[in-house]
Amino acid sequence: MENSTYNSLILQVEGLNVSNESIYPVFLFFFCSYLFILVANVGIVVLVFIDKKLHQPMYLLFCNLPVNDIVGNSIMLPRVLSDILVPPSERLISYYECVLQAFTTHMFGTTSHTILMIMAFDRYVAICNPLRYAAIMTNKMVVKLTVSAWGVAFVLVGILLGLTIRLNRCRTMIMNPYCDNASLFKLSCESVFINNVYGLTFTVVLLSASIGSIVLTYAKITVVCVTSKNQSLNSKALKTCSTHLMVYLIMIFSGISVITLHRFPQYSDYRKLSGILFHVIPCSLNPVIYGVQSKEIRRFLSKLLQQGQ
């Protein structure tokens, strides 16, 4: 073992394996995707804050999602884009930048779940207990739910990365297009048993809580809609819940694809690509889905277009 590779502060990122003919088309695709994510998500956040009609718990809670999408992609995608344009030997990253990238990557994935969980709670109260909705979903409750969504994710991911940075490193190659927890602890020659146990427990608990809360919430909403003869309530439930459920299913499918491909080393290139698309696809579709489905957002955009003309 060479001293130069022991706890080295400079790491090399493997990056995407892209042929010379595909470099610029791939770069252009991800660059346009990143621009769209920034413009669409920033636009949604600004729109919610400047239109007082959108100052409702549902939209205020939803604002957490575009903020998470912007932060998650802004730390990861620009670095991936720059690495596509340079030779593999020049794809270097400092250890501290790598840890920050890994932290934000896992925060993005974890917070996506916790945000959609608090949004499901909001829909549950709105549809199953509409008369007490205003009393329950106060500004104070919105703040509590928001802090909980980010706070739980911060603690869980903090422990995950804390267990990794305690390890000594004897390798310098990140076998991924970007840094994540698994890529970091694979740099160590020490036992990573605790990391694997916590990582597995973390994943199982998060997915169980996320899927369990969504299933339970929508089961109760379905019962209310089936037993209710209120057509207005049923129409409202179908419109708002279908939007939320669509966003959730896109995120779950993208995440499961990455986890599944991890089990097949022969498909490492597909795994790397799916890892990036896990960030790109949901973050591109979220503002589109909510923008199309929300009557208030559509009305505000049409008003802006009319003023522009």
Side-chain angles (χ1 to χ4, degrees):
M1 186 188 302
E2 297 179 7
N3 290 333
S4 60
T5 62
Y6 191 78
N7 285 339
S8 173
L9 293 179
I10 302 296
L11 308 176
Q12 185 174 351
V13 181
E14 186 180 35
L16 286 172
N17 295 322
V18 182
S19 64
N20 290 332
E21 299 79 20
S22 304
I23 286 176
Y24 292 107
V26 170
F27 176 87
L28 194 61
F29 170 75
F30 285 122
F31 179 73
C32 291
S33 298
Y34 178 55
L35 278 183
F36 179 79
I37 288 167
L38 282 183
V39 172
N41 284 287
V42 169
I44 289 285
V45 174
V46 171
L47 191 128
V48 169
F49 277 94
I50 64 176
D51 187 0
K52 292 183 179 179
K53 291 180 181 177
L54 297 177
H55 291 181
Q56 305 170 29
M58 180 177 77
Y59 294 109
L60 295 175
L61 291 175
F62 168 67
C63 275
N64 287 286
L65 210 53
V67 169
N68 186 45
D69 292 346
I70 293 165
V71 174
N73 281 279
S74 294
I75 299 294
M76 188 271 291
L77 266 181
R79 179 75 205 195
V80 171
L81 286 169
S82 66
D83 284 345
I84 290 174
L85 298 177
V86 300
S89 60
E90 295 178 19
R91 295 170 184 170
L92 304 177
I93 186 171
S94 76
Y95 173 70
Y96 300 111
E97 184 184 347
C98 192
V99 170
L100 176 63
Q101 195 178 77
F103 181 82
T104 53
T105 296
H106 288 283
M107 272 294 291
F108 165 77
T110 308
T111 311
S112 296
H113 282 277
T114 55
I115 290 169
L116 288 169
M117 286 164 68
I118 63 173
M119 289 174 68
F121 173 76
D122 171 73
R123 291 300 83 208
Y124 166 75
V125 176
I127 293 161
C128 298
N129 207 345
L131 296 178
R132 296 195 59 223
Y133 181 75
I136 295 172
M137 294 305 297
T138 59
N139 289 337
K140 190 175 181 180
M141 176 59 78
V142 170
V143 171
K144 282 182 179 179
L145 290 171
T146 300
V147 170
S148 298
W150 289 90
V152 168
F154 185 87
V155 171
L156 291 174
V157 175
I159 295 172
L160 185 75
L161 267 296
L163 290 172
T164 297
I165 61 176
R166 70 187 172 86
L167 300 170
N168 288 311
R169 305 178 303 283
C170 61
R171 302 181 185 92
T172 58
M173 176 63 80
I174 298 291
M175 306 298 289
N176 216 26
Y178 56 88
C179 296
D180 60 5
N181 183 60
S183 302
L184 276 171
F185 73 63
K186 285 177 182 176
L187 299 178
S188 176
C189 294
E190 299 177 8
S191 170
V192 293
F193 176 75
I194 295 175
N195 300 70
N196 284 321
V197 170
Y198 180 78
L200 181 62
T201 305
F202 173 23
T203 305
V204 170
V205 169
L206 180 65
L207 288 179
S208 298
S210 175
I211 295 172
S213 65
I214 296 295
V215 169
L216 184 62
T217 299
Y218 279 95
K220 291 190 174 184
I221 289 173
T222 303
V223 170
V224 169
C225 291
V226 169
T227 56
S228 172
K229 296 179 181 179
N230 188 332
Q231 293 298 320
S232 175
L233 175 68
N234 292 346
S235 175
K236 177 185 175 184
L238 180 64
K239 189 169 289 185
T240 59
C241 293
S242 62
T243 305
H244 178 265
L245 193 58
M246 198 182 303
V247 169
Y248 184 79
L249 289 175
I250 289 169
M251 183 198 68
I252 283 289
F253 179 76
S254 303
I256 288 175
S257 300
V258 176
I259 293 169
T260 303
L261 287 169
H262 261 290
R263 305 290 173 247
F264 301 95
Q266 66 269 32
Y267 299 127
S268 63
D269 288 340
Y270 293 109
R271 173 184 57 78
K272 293 174 189 175
L273 184 60
S274 68
I276 299 173
L277 293 178
F278 171 69
H279 286 71
V280 171
I281 293 176
C283 300
S284 300
L285 292 178
N286 290 348
V288 174
I289 292 170
Y290 269 89
V292 169
Q293 287 279 23
S294 170
K295 183 171 65 178
E296 290 85 355
I297 291 177
R298 288 202 312 270
R299 186 185 296 131
F300 186 86
L301 289 175
S302 63
K303 191 189 297 181
L304 279 182
L305 289 173
Q306 287 172 3
Q307 288 175 355
Q309 292 173 354

